Amino acid sequence: MVEVFGDAIRKNEWESLAQPLWRAEQIRSMERRWAEQEGLPLYVLMERAGSALCNYACHHWPDSRQWWIFVGPGNNGGDGYVLARLARRIGLEPLVIAARAPGLLRGDARRAAEEWLASGGGVTMAEDLLPATLPPPDLVIDALLGTGVQLPLSSSMTKIVATINGLNAPVLAVDLPSGLHADTGRAMGALVRATRTLTFIGIKQGMLTADGVDGVGHLDRDPLGVTPGEERVPAAERIDYPSLKGLLTPRMRSAHKGHSGKVLLTGGNLGMQGAMLLAGQASLRAGAGLVRLRQHPDCPAASLVQPELMGCPADMDEGWASVQVLGPGLGQDEWGRARFEQGIGAAVPLVLDADGLNWLAQAPRHQDNWVLTPHPGEAARLLGCSIAEVEGDRFAAVSRLQQRYGGVVLLKGAGSLICDGRRISLCDEGNPGMASGGMGDLLSGIIAALLAQGWSAGMATRLGAVIHAEAADLAAAEGERGMLASDLLPWIRRLVNPTQ
């Protein structure tokens, strides 16, 4: 029986609290440090990885017999060779398909290949593979490329990836899907789309954002007995609703609406008043005590739809609000410009979204009292670059935004990123149903309500992100396609009251 290293099978890592996320070089550094401290060769970790993969595959696909293991030219391929040898030991005859001849390999990968051949195993070169002439696989293992991918895949490797994606079988990715940049989450020309990924030692930050969310599938981790030293600072952290909901404690019995803050939302130009309505409703459902809307005077009063939303009289004291939101439905005409200039200098915490961000891009300034919530298009305008550059390295983009504009920045998208200048947090909850109008307006309203109730800007943004995403996941139980922003409102109220 092959020994199980770590706890990838016994316990899904996602059930635990916030997860550290690492860059590839940090993982390699941990491996080297482990080898020095233990006085063991790194090949031991390759053996452990192969053993963990064998147990993992048998656990999740117990009836599979035809395994096709695609092995690459480096240590990822070495893991695959070890897996093949162990699979043969338990009675399977895996088909090993190599991108490079075993004799051309180096280091530990070559040793693993030689031990596979010595055990009686064979190798089929990828260019000679004729899938139609072979029994179809029950399981495909992607051990082509690991964390070292820095350049677009070669034409030959791209063809192998296409072969893997074209096979009608589940795919287990070794460490991370081949073609994925471990640090940025971008597909380097081609990307294996895995059913499940077993990653080793630590979760690479690129696995949970950008193209990583389409390539990884279900993600599990096995530490292989390697732990980071106390001085190791993660590149980022994964946050989710279960890990943060404990902050949402019940209110004191003596609480009144003044304790819960006053939110003023500015926007809602002609034809876009729905954005303000959604943001205002989200603020109310997330617990703000009082909410006023400053929208275009020719728009119908929001109170006709939501009686609890107040208007903004012309003679209202500018010091009324404890938090302001600027931008939902603001527009880019003269009325929008005037409202932007009026609200941008607020002394209270400010949430800037939508056209508020577009106006800011035209007149950049640095402030520490605001939360910016751009999507990639708005981020590109704020940085004066292309959307492709933003999406090419979302971690770098959110850091640049925070450095340039200050405060807290939430870069929306698959794997939303939050940067407060000290750390980056990643929220990988949410679903494709959120790709519809009004979702960002809800997020602004939620964050504003949490600010109004006393959370710091960083924590209000993190809490807001996970509440927003969790609400979307709950609403999506009835289907992602056709999900509306307003479908999230009842769930928002439930989620801000986890103990009630």
Side-chain angles (χ1 to χ4, degrees):
M1 190 69 179
V2 181
E3 183 182 1
V4 177
F5 290 95
D7 59 356
I9 291 175
R10 295 191 295 273
K11 182 176 185 296
N12 187 331
E13 286 289 327
W14 289 150
E15 295 174 359
S16 59
L17 297 180
Q19 292 286 328
L21 304 177
W22 307 92
R23 291 186 296 273
E25 179 51 40
Q26 291 180 294
I27 298 293
R28 289 190 284 270
S29 177
M30 290 181 207
E31 293 174 341
R32 292 190 295 267
R33 175 173 176 164
W34 172 88
E36 293 172 359
Q37 290 181 335
E38 298 295 323
L40 294 171
L42 286 172
Y43 189 73
V44 172
L45 294 182
M46 189 171 286
E47 286 277 354
R48 291 184 180 183
S51 179
L53 287 163
C54 192
N55 281 270
Y56 189 86
C58 290
H59 176 80
H60 288 289
W61 297 280
D63 297 326
S64 64
R65 305 296 298 172
Q66 299 290 333
W67 290 7
W68 287 15
I69 305 177
F70 288 81
V71 293
N75 286 344
N76 201 254
D79 295 342
Y81 278 114
V82 175
L83 167 62
R85 175 166 50 83
L86 296 177
R88 194 166 190 268
R89 185 184 298 175
I90 61 173
L92 301 178
E93 286 294 338
L95 177 65
V96 175
I97 304 154
R100 181 177 296 176
L104 299 178
L105 302 182
R106 295 182 297 179
D108 288 342
R110 179 164 184 149
R111 176 179 172 181
E114 289 174 345
E115 292 190 1
W116 161 244
L117 295 172
S119 73
V123 171
T124 298
M125 296 306 298
E127 61 264 29
D128 299 328
L129 181 67
L130 297 173
T133 66
L134 299 168
D138 301 318
L139 176 64
V140 175
I141 291 96
D142 162 31
L144 281 175
L145 300 169
T147 58
V149 175
Q150 300 293 324
L151 299 173
L153 272 57
S154 66
S155 59
S156 60
M157 197 64 74
T158 297
K159 290 178 182 177
I160 301 174
V161 169
T163 298
I164 292 174
N165 289 336
L167 293 170
N168 186 25
V171 177
L172 168 59
V174 176
D175 203 24
L176 76 167
S178 291
L180 183 69
H181 194 292
D183 292 345
T184 67
R186 295 309 299 174
M188 302 305 288
L191 176 65
V192 167
R193 297 185 181 276
T195 308
R196 306 183 77 97
T197 296
L198 180 59
T199 198
F200 300 126
I201 300 179
I203 301 166
K204 293 75 182 171
Q205 65 178 18
M207 303 180 84
L208 302 181
T209 193
D211 297 317
V213 301
D214 288 320
V216 165
H218 182 95
L219 178 60
D220 288 299
R221 180 182 74 97
D222 193 304
L224 304 182
V226 178
T227 56
E230 293 182 359
E231 76 283 2
R232 300 286 179 179
V233 178
E237 64 173 355
R238 176 186 177 268
I239 57 172
D240 59 12
Y241 177 75
S243 68
L244 296 183
K245 68 178 182 179
L247 297 172
L248 297 160
T249 55
R251 288 176 172 174
M252 296 176 58
R253 304 311 302 166
S254 60
H256 56 77
K257 60 180 178 286
H259 290 153
S260 300
K262 303 173 183 179
V263 177
L264 173 63
L265 298 102
T266 300
N269 208 330
L270 291 171
M272 295 183 286
Q273 56 267 36
M276 287 287 282
L277 178 60
L278 287 168
Q281 289 175 312
S283 276
L284 290 170
R285 290 304 186 188
L290 295 169
V291 180
R292 288 187 181 273
L293 307 187
R294 176 187 279 149
Q295 58 183 16
H296 196 285
D298 293 337
C299 290
S303 59
L304 296 174
V305 178
Q306 188 74 56
E308 296 85 355
L309 289 173
M310 300 181 290
C312 184
D315 59 350
M316 190 189 79
D317 178 9
E318 285 296 320
W320 176 85
S322 51
V323 176
Q324 291 196 36
V325 178
L326 181 58
L330 182 64
Q332 298 191 50
D333 59 6
E334 280 303 306
W335 183 87
R337 181 189 59 77
R339 300 290 79 73
F340 173 80
E341 293 178 353
Q342 179 182 7
I344 195 65
V348 298
L350 177 65
V351 180
L352 212 60
D353 188 27
D355 280 325
L357 296 169
N358 293 328
W359 283 110
L360 178 62
Q362 297 181 38
R365 56 193 291 172
H366 186 287
Q367 292 184 191
D368 291 325
N369 69 325
W370 58 20
V371 175
L372 311 182
T373 61
H375 58 55
E378 292 158 346
R381 287 188 283 275
L382 288 166
L383 292 173
C385 66
S386 68
I387 295 175
E389 288 177 276
V390 170
E391 292 289 78
D393 191 339
R394 289 169 53 81
F395 293 92
V398 75
S399 295
R400 288 172 57 201
L401 285 165
Q402 198 283 328
Q403 291 167 8
R404 182 173 298 185
Y405 292 96
V408 179
V409 178
L410 190 160
L411 178 58
K412 294 183 283 196
S416 292
L417 300 178
I418 300 160
C419 181
D420 60 6
R422 296 182 301 277
R423 57 177 169 162
I424 295 177
S425 303
L426 186 153
C427 173
D428 67 325
E429 295 178 297
N431 60 79
M434 300 172 77
S436 61
M439 290 290 177
D441 303 314
L442 293 180
L443 178 61
S444 295
I446 295 169
I447 293 172
L450 296 170
L451 285 167
Q453 292 170 80
W455 276 279
S456 68
M459 188 52 67
T461 307
R462 292 179 180 90
L463 266 175
V466 300
I467 291 168
H468 183 242
E470 183 82 358
D473 285 343
L474 292 168
E478 298 183 13
E480 293 176 354
R481 189 173 283 114
M483 187 170 73
L484 303 180
S486 56
D487 294 335
L488 276 60
L489 289 167
W491 295 109
I492 292 169
R493 183 185 180 189
R494 294 190 189 188
L495 292 170
V496 296
N497 293 285
T499 59
Q500 297 181 6

